[in-house]
Amino acid sequence: PGLKIILMGNSGDQKILAEWKKQPGFSDHIVLPEVISFWQNAALIKFSLFIVTPDTSIVHAASAVEVPQIAIYRPDLGFEKNSQIWAPLSSGTAHQV
């Protein structure tokens, strides 16, 4: 009770977020307008309980302020090890699923 899901993204993501908000089960989610400032993002990250993101900059910022997270990466192509290369260095808890 009282938990709020905040959806945020750049201008290209705003249309998708608006469509998600119309789906059943998303009515209590909050869609923020485009967040363009590093400091706006930093404040949102700092005061979050948990973050799910495909954006490595968000992963690094959340790691810096020790906010738990799930980072979503595309599948590795051969030699790549994205989940290892871009994982938070201090956590030691990165797992590929």
Side-chain angles (χ1 to χ4, degrees):
L3 181 67
K4 292 293 180 192
I5 306 291
I6 298 175
L7 304 171
M8 56 187 266
N10 62 31
S11 60
D13 296 328
Q14 289 296 314
K15 184 176 179 182
I16 295 167
L17 296 178
E19 289 299 318
W20 283 1
K21 178 102 170 113
K22 295 176 187 176
Q23 300 299 317
F26 284 85
S27 61
D28 60 343
H29 289 44
I30 299 167
V31 177
L32 294 181
E34 182 179 3
V35 178
I36 56 173
S37 158
F38 169 79
W39 298 111
Q40 288 174 315
N41 278 309
L44 288 166
I45 292 165
K46 182 178 179 178
F47 294 107
S48 294
L49 297 175
F50 188 84
I51 291 176
V52 178
T53 182
D55 187 320
T56 58
S57 65
I58 302 296
V59 169
H60 296 305
S63 297
V65 292
E66 299 180 348
V67 173
Q69 60 195 280
I70 292 177
I72 302 169
Y73 303 111
R74 63 175 169 73
D76 288 337
L77 301 173
F79 65 91
E80 295 177 322
K81 302 289 182 229
N82 288 312
S83 63
Q84 295 169 14
I85 293 170
W86 299 112
L89 291 176
S90 63
S91 73
T93 59
H95 302 283
Q96 186 171 357
V97 179

